[in-house]
Amino acid sequence: MSGEKKVEFHVHKKRIIKNIKIDVDKCNGCRACEVACSLFHARPKYSSNNPARSRVRVIRDLVNDIYVPVFAGEYTPAECLGRDKYVIDGKEYDECAFCRASCPSRDLFKEPDSGLPLSCDMCESDPPIGEPMCVQWCLADALIYEEREEEVEEGVAAGDMEIGVEALIVKYGLEKIAETVGRLSKRDKN
Amino acid sequence: MRYAETGYNLEVDLSRGSIDRVETDPAETELYLGGLGTNAKLLWDRVPPETDPLAPENLLIFSTGILVGTPAPGANRTIISTLSPQTKLMAYSMMGGFFAPELKHAGYDKIVIRGKSPNLVYLWINNDKVEIRDASHLQGKGTLQTSQMIRQELKDPNVQIAAIGLAGENRVFFASIEQGKSSASRAGIGAVMGSKGLKAVVVRGKKDVNIAHPAKMMEKCNDILDYIKVRDKNPLGMVPPILAGLGSPQEMRIHDEEWHTTNFAWGNSRTRRKDFWTEDVEKEWTKTSEDVRERFLSCYNCPMSCGASVAYPGLQKYMMKCYSKLTYTMASFTDLDFGFRIVQLATDYGVDSFTCPQTMAFAIELYEAGILTDAEMPGFPADSEGRFFWLLDKIVKREGIGDILADGTYWAALRIGKGAEAYAHNNIKKHEQLPLKLGMLNPIYFLMYSTGEKINITQIEGQFPQAPFPTRADREDFVKDWVHVPHERFKQYFLDWEPRGENSNPYYPTVQMSCELVDWMEMMHYVDDSVGMCAGLSSFPLKPAYHIHNYPEVLSAATGLAIDEEALSRMARRTRTLIRAINIRRGLTRDDEKPPEDHWKKRFPELEKQLIDEYYKFKGWNEKGIPTSESLHELSMDFVADDLKKRGYLEE
Ligand code: SF4
Ligand code: SF4
Ligand code: SF4
């Protein structure tokens, strides 16, 4: 486990927000970002290339001249009922074009063999690699990496956690959750 | 496990409707590497030399290269090989874009297509699932619309599509195969696809491509990317702006077109307009370009963004490649605005942007000379733009005079007669060349034009400057970081090459030097074509990202094979020799190996003969240009020697 992840788990006063700024106008549609991401996450590292496993995908529509790099967000078990469709500068973007979810309505952001959801982990690794791989390989500067520190108010964060735990309790029951927490804390100590 | 390649070909017989996944022999990879090399081997083994290019027995091979699908930047070429209906020789046109990587991710190194479907079909390769599907609803549809319809039909925006338009369906001898951003255009491979009743090949792939030595490979790829960044910041001096960087010539980015418009000939490759490029033209053309250009686009895993999408008001969007916009503009003596309009239509019809405009300019000359008349061309418009649109329409439909012109200038001239042959003046091996008409013979270019078997100068030249630099200081500066040369002595050849005087064209570079330089330039193209690398990062520009000294490490890391410079050179030599042997069996002779009569004003028959003699020897070919038994044996290609003997090309 990386240090960064722990920063997010235990509640501290400051945390580092990692951000990739996407300049859609600069994207040349080359998909080097997909190649780089899939290589970085291959096991062993770099041992295979397969853009279908990438956690960033360039939504491309040649006819309409649409090239939008989208980063895999969280998994969602159900598709949205209402969908959104954008028109920007006269170009009509596909339904869900900007959505980051790994969702049952499309085959985006799923492992090709298992169908398991993929999500961008900002290339967290030990030792850390500096800029994420996709950013390093995007020579068009369509992807720009930024880090910033953000103050985190403890109260609010605790509230967040409470909400999360509550949701888990509703789903699995208090006993199961307590068991799991116990097991995890033992494993962490080992 | 096979690395870099999948180890499988897809074999499709359209007559029988059969589809097979066939494991390939790893020994062939060690001999020919992949891509063009193994394509040539298939054609040699399986297509008898007397085969008519448009007959079902001809093979049409869509191949990836060995590095396609690996992280090597720029390795994205689809190498399409077959027999050409126009030259009757082997055709090996290529395209960039996204098709080949998708094919490899679908689990195949090549698609080998034979036979002929009774009705129009398309091939749908979805990883392990492969179908031949009806395409009757796509008949007559343009390449742009075909792609759009197939994407909708398959409900997958991520499929890659290689399709023919009307020109291919009607077997126009310069029909292309179009793939959205890129096309494989030369020598009529689109006509072969049409003859097979195949409208499109559609592919989607989601499998891994494995790398033998991952860490090493990444290190090498990062070196390549770093070099690309450095070159990007430091364009070369001493050459036209369009050739100063890496990539295909940056036709959509750089508006300074002085070099093309004043050095290349207009019309039917006739007229140099040395004063054409003025400030006013530059202003107007810059505006035309910027008004229609939407976005710079790259091929798969390459940062160079050589192409651009073009949105001309009222026309469907399309991708502009290289300098197509100028070939039509210049052949028609019009302006860039016309270029953008007609290229859209030409892309949709699927025709080659070198041969097509030249054929139309040829027809206009014949009309003006009274060889073609209103009898053959009823309703022929009076204005140049109108004429080009009129001719394009007739050609792709093979209607009236269009049926004759659709065979290209060489065959059309033969059929028209009445002295038309003199107007088909810009061909080599029956194929239209760049419209260049120059003064003094350049021995290097003489050899490349004469002996190149891809029959397009851009596919053999590169790396060595096209002309000497004016001063020694410039040349010294140039050779400083010239790590790309295979031998140090090549730097000296360049240092001593003067624009004028004793050490200048045509007698310098000397015959021996010219042989060595041409062999090097050609070898790097053969390597790229087997690797699937874009020539724009490798064999075409000066000081490219890939070269003979760094390729072996990249290839070894990706494939796990022990490939050093010597081994790589031998692979390229084998491929080169095999293609020569295929063409010898198809009737290529020394007589065919010459540039257009009027390419240079000043010619030197004795020197030219000596150049060819020595170059053949250098290559291990006899005085007829046929590979000798000894040289074939040395390349472990006795099977070629045996066949050439059996057929009487070599003595027993
Ligand atoms: S690497 Fe950059 S330019 Fe290329 S597709 Fe990804 S975001 Fe676009
Ligand atoms: S940041 Fe890392 S994990 Fe996320 S898309 Fe880019 S390469 Fe993939
Ligand atoms: S250099 Fe240009 S043409 Fe070549 S692969 Fe890159 S973008 Fe395509």
Side-chain angles (χ1 to χ4, degrees):
Chain A
M1 259 300 125
S2 70
E4 305 277 14
K5 264 261 158 74
K6 279 188 186 150
V7 174
E8 298 221 22
F9 195 71
H10 304 285
V11 182
H12 281 245
K13 281 210 169 139
K14 276 191 181 152
R15 63 174 176 178
I16 296 196
I17 304 288
K18 299 179 166 191
N19 188 20
I20 294 173
K21 203 175 86 197
I22 305 157
D23 188 340
V24 171
D25 289 335
K26 284 197 182 137
C27 174
N28 61 28
C30 71
R31 302 173 67 189
C33 48
E34 298 180 10
V35 171
C37 180
S38 98
L39 284 160
F40 186 75
H41 291 88
R43 291 290 167 269
K45 211 185 238 175
Y46 309 131
S47 62
S48 69
N49 171 33
N50 186 358
R53 292 187 199 281
S54 168
R55 293 127 200 257
V56 52
R57 297 285 183 82
V58 187
I59 310 287
R60 310 164 79 246
D61 176 344
L62 272 83
V63 177
N64 297 306
D65 195 53
I66 285 171
Y67 298 86
V68 189
V70 175
F71 288 81
E74 293 312 308
Y75 163 75
T76 168
E79 54 191 271
C80 303
L81 289 175
R83 308 264 173 98
D84 41 11
K85 199 164 194 167
Y86 286 87
V87 179
I88 307 173
D89 278 345
K91 286 181 209 164
E92 191 172 307
Y93 290 80
D94 260 0
E95 241 172 40
C96 315
F98 300 102
C99 179
R100 304 179 48 176
S102 170
C103 150
S105 77
R106 52 183 189 177
D107 79 343
L108 198 66
F109 302 137
K110 287 174 192 147
E111 281 283 0
D113 340 286
S114 61
L116 287 172
L118 292 164
S119 77
C120 166
D121 58 10
M122 289 303 241
C123 295
E124 292 282 350
S125 71
D126 201 7
I129 61 160
E131 289 197 336
M133 276 304 281
C134 57
V135 174
Q136 287 185 32
W137 273 48
C138 178
L139 266 48
D141 291 338
L143 307 179
I144 301 291
Y145 181 64
E146 295 168 339
E147 267 180 18
R148 62 170 196 272
E149 272 189 5
E150 207 166 75
E151 296 281 339
V152 179
E153 281 178 48
E154 272 177 82
V156 175
D160 268 353
M161 186 145 68
E162 250 172 55
I163 294 166
V165 174
E166 238 173 57
L168 289 172
I169 292 170
V170 170
K171 194 160 178 194
Y172 298 104
L174 182 58
E175 234 164 87
K176 267 234 166 89
I177 298 301
E179 247 173 53
T180 312
V181 171
R183 206 172 51 241
L184 280 178
S185 52
K186 248 187 234 159
R187 201 182 65 190
D188 260 10
K189 272 176 211 143
N190 296 340
Chain B
M1 182 160 24
R2 305 272 280 261
Y3 295 99
E5 58 181 354
T6 67
Y8 289 91
N9 288 347
L10 193 64
E11 299 263 358
V12 180
D13 187 323
L14 291 169
S15 300
R16 294 191 292 140
S18 64
I19 298 165
D20 296 293
R21 182 169 170 265
V22 178
E23 191 167 357
T24 56
D25 181 356
E28 300 264 311
T29 308
E30 288 180 37
L31 288 170
Y32 304 99
L33 199 53
L36 177 65
T38 37
N39 281 5
K41 184 65 173 25
L42 284 167
L43 288 171
W44 171 269
D45 285 345
R46 285 165 49 181
V47 184
E50 53 287 349
T51 305
D52 174 353
L54 297 181
E57 293 73 33
N58 189 9
L59 294 184
L60 177 65
I61 307 171
F62 287 76
S63 182
T64 65
I66 191 91
L67 287 185
V68 170
T70 75
N76 52 44
R77 257 44 192 171
T78 309
I79 304 103
I80 307 180
S81 308
T82 188
L83 299 178
S84 160
Q86 187 195 36
T87 66
K88 312 291 180 205
L89 304 172
M90 180 173 161
Y92 44 114
S93 203
M94 314 198 304
M95 58 187 176
F98 296 82
F99 186 90
E102 201 72 37
L103 181 62
K104 203 172 255 184
H105 287 301
Y108 313 99
D109 297 320
K110 296 182 201 294
I111 316 167
V112 184
I113 300 164
R114 73 184 300 281
K116 171 185 182 346
S117 165
N119 52 318
L120 198 64
V121 293
Y122 74 88
L123 188 65
W124 168 215
I125 303 165
N126 185 4
N127 296 288
D128 293 334
K129 224 174 115 218
V130 184
E131 312 168 48
I132 299 170
R133 293 173 69 122
D134 177 56
S136 44
H137 58 302
L138 299 170
Q139 190 149 11
K141 295 276 184 294
T143 57
L144 301 166
Q145 204 190 346
T146 298
S147 303
Q148 220 176 338
M149 286 172 71
I150 291 176
R151 280 208 173 86
Q152 278 163 6
E153 189 170 310
L154 300 175
K155 296 193 180 58
D156 188 347
N158 294 315
V159 296
Q160 299 300 333
I161 301 170
I164 53 168
L166 209 50
E169 282 183 45
N170 289 330
R171 303 172 197 192
V172 172
F173 283 9
F174 42 89
S176 60
I177 299 174
E178 299 279 335
Q179 186 225 142
K181 200 200 152 287
S182 321
S183 64
S185 305
R186 303 298 273 161
I189 55 174
V192 175
M193 190 154 155
S195 76
K196 302 204 168 300
L198 184 61
K199 179 71 178 173
V201 182
V202 186
V203 58
R204 178 78 176 110
K206 294 188 181 183
K207 297 186 191 182
D208 298 347
V209 172
N210 298 308
I211 309 302
H213 304 298
K216 184 81 187 166
M217 183 67 184
M218 278 310 272
E219 179 198 320
K220 290 286 131 198
C221 292
N222 281 319
D223 288 350
I224 297 284
L225 290 177
D226 287 342
Y227 181 80
I228 289 174
K229 286 184 223 166
V230 170
R231 275 291 259 107
D232 192 43
K233 292 207 176 68
N234 303 283
L236 299 175
M238 305 311 299
V239 293
I242 223 124
L243 298 176
L246 293 179
S248 294
Q250 293 288 334
E251 286 294 334
M252 292 305 292
R253 191 182 305 268
I254 294 167
H255 299 303
D256 180 350
E257 284 292 3
E258 178 166 11
W259 185 66
H260 275 132
T261 56
T262 61
N263 276 292
F264 287 51
W266 293 60
N268 180 24
S269 193
R270 296 283 190 193
T271 318
R272 281 278 294 276
R273 297 169 85 182
K274 291 190 181 165
D275 305 321
F276 175 78
W277 194 251
T278 60
E279 241 173 72
D280 286 347
V281 175
E282 175 149 17
K283 238 195 245 150
E284 191 196 316
W285 284 27
T286 301
K287 182 170 176 346
T288 306
S289 272
E290 291 191 341
D291 281 352
V292 300
R293 188 183 68 204
E294 282 229 322
R295 175 195 293 272
F296 293 113
L297 291 171
S298 259
C299 305
Y300 178 86
N301 194 22
C302 174
M304 298 311 301
S305 312
C306 304
S309 50
V310 171
Y312 194 97
L315 300 178
Q316 186 174 358
K317 282 177 198 169
Y318 70 101
M319 314 294 145
M320 180 63 79
K321 300 151 286 205
C322 201
Y323 99 125
S324 312
K325 55 173 198 190
L326 287 188
T327 56
Y328 287 93
T329 297
M330 290 174 67
S332 60
F333 287 99
T334 57
D335 59 14
L336 195 54
D337 183 78
F338 169 73
F340 279 116
R341 272 181 285 137
I342 197 162
V343 172
Q344 195 272 349
L345 194 59
T347 305
D348 211 29
Y349 284 146
V351 283
D352 175 28
S353 326
F354 281 97
T355 293
C356 187
Q358 223 169 99
T359 304
M360 299 197 286
F362 156 85
I364 290 171
E365 267 193 358
L366 291 180
Y367 182 80
E368 275 161 4
I371 296 174
L372 289 176
T373 64
D374 287 328
E376 292 92 7
M377 299 162 80
F380 192 49
D383 66 303
S384 194
E385 286 194 8
R387 286 174 164 186
F388 264 64
F389 280 117
W390 189 93
L391 284 164
L392 181 58
D393 188 65
K394 297 280 179 246
I395 287 171
V396 298
K397 293 181 180 150
R398 276 196 179 271
E399 241 171 49
I401 189 70
D403 186 36
I404 292 171
L405 295 172
D407 291 351
T409 56
Y410 174 85
W411 298 105
L414 283 186
R415 276 173 76 185
I416 293 166
K418 300 185 226 165
E421 289 91 337
Y423 295 79
H425 68 108
N426 199 36
N427 296 333
I428 301 174
K429 295 166 187 160
K430 310 182 178 62
H431 190 69
E432 292 75 10
Q433 301 297 313
L434 280 184
L436 272 168
K437 298 296 156 199
L438 305 166
M440 174 56 81
L441 180 120
N442 170 329
I444 303 174
Y445 271 78
F446 170 81
L447 272 183
M448 291 195 292
Y449 275 115
S450 301
T451 63
E453 254 154 298
K454 210 152 150 201
I455 322 183
N456 195 43
I457 192 66
T458 56
Q459 302 296 333
I460 173 168
E461 68 180 342
Q463 310 218 41
F464 198 78
Q466 299 185 358
F469 292 177
T471 70
R472 189 155 186 111
D474 292 332
R475 301 195 290 270
E476 273 167 2
D477 196 44
F478 181 81
V479 302
K480 263 187 214 142
D481 57 354
W482 203 12
V483 297
H484 310 72
V485 286
H487 308 291
E488 279 298 300
R489 62 178 183 275
F490 287 11
K491 293 184 184 168
Q492 200 58 46
Y493 298 171
F494 180 66
L495 283 173
D496 295 341
W497 192 21
E498 304 267 358
R500 238 153 261 105
E502 213 173 299
N503 275 356
S504 71
N505 292 340
Y507 294 106
Y508 193 97
T510 64
V511 172
Q512 175 64 26
M513 292 172 192
S514 299
C515 291
E516 291 175 27
L517 293 171
V518 171
D519 185 66
W520 165 45
M521 287 190 259
E522 179 175 72
M523 171 177 77
M524 295 319 294
H525 278 278
Y526 278 91
V527 170
D528 284 348
D529 296 357
S530 295
V531 160
M533 182 58 63
C534 173
L537 287 179
S538 185
S539 46
F540 184 73
L542 297 168
K543 301 186 179 172
Y546 294 90
H547 48 80
I548 189 67
H549 306 304
N550 66 3
Y551 246 141
E553 278 187 295
V554 179
L555 284 163
S556 304
T559 62
L561 301 172
I563 299 174
D564 58 12
E565 287 182 27
E566 174 57 21
L568 185 58
S569 312
R570 279 173 66 83
M571 287 168 167
R573 221 152 62 229
R574 272 192 206 103
T575 303
R576 174 68 185 101
T577 307
L578 194 54
I579 289 169
R580 164 94 357 184
I582 288 172
N583 285 337
I584 291 292
R585 286 204 314 194
R586 294 214 31 104
L588 176 76
T589 66
R590 178 167 176 156
D591 262 358
D592 298 313
E593 304 228 281
K594 51 181 186 232
E597 206 67 51
D598 58 357
H599 187 86
W600 290 283
K601 258 202 208 88
K602 296 190 188 138
R603 298 289 291 263
F604 301 82
E606 242 169 77
L607 171 66
E608 292 175 18
K609 180 178 176 304
Q610 205 194 344
L611 278 162
I612 297 270
D613 281 341
E614 290 308 311
Y615 188 64
Y616 280 180
K617 263 187 234 157
F618 190 92
K619 289 288 217 191
W621 305 341
N622 67 20
E623 73 293 344
K624 291 184 184 150
I626 304 172
T628 62
S629 303
E630 299 75 54
S631 66
L632 287 165
H633 178 74
E634 199 270 326
L635 291 170
S636 339
M637 293 170 78
D638 288 324
F639 65 98
V640 174
D642 293 346
D643 188 86
L644 292 178
K645 281 178 196 156
K646 203 176 77 197
R647 292 173 194 275
Y649 291 107
L650 287 176
E651 309 220 332
E652 286 287 339

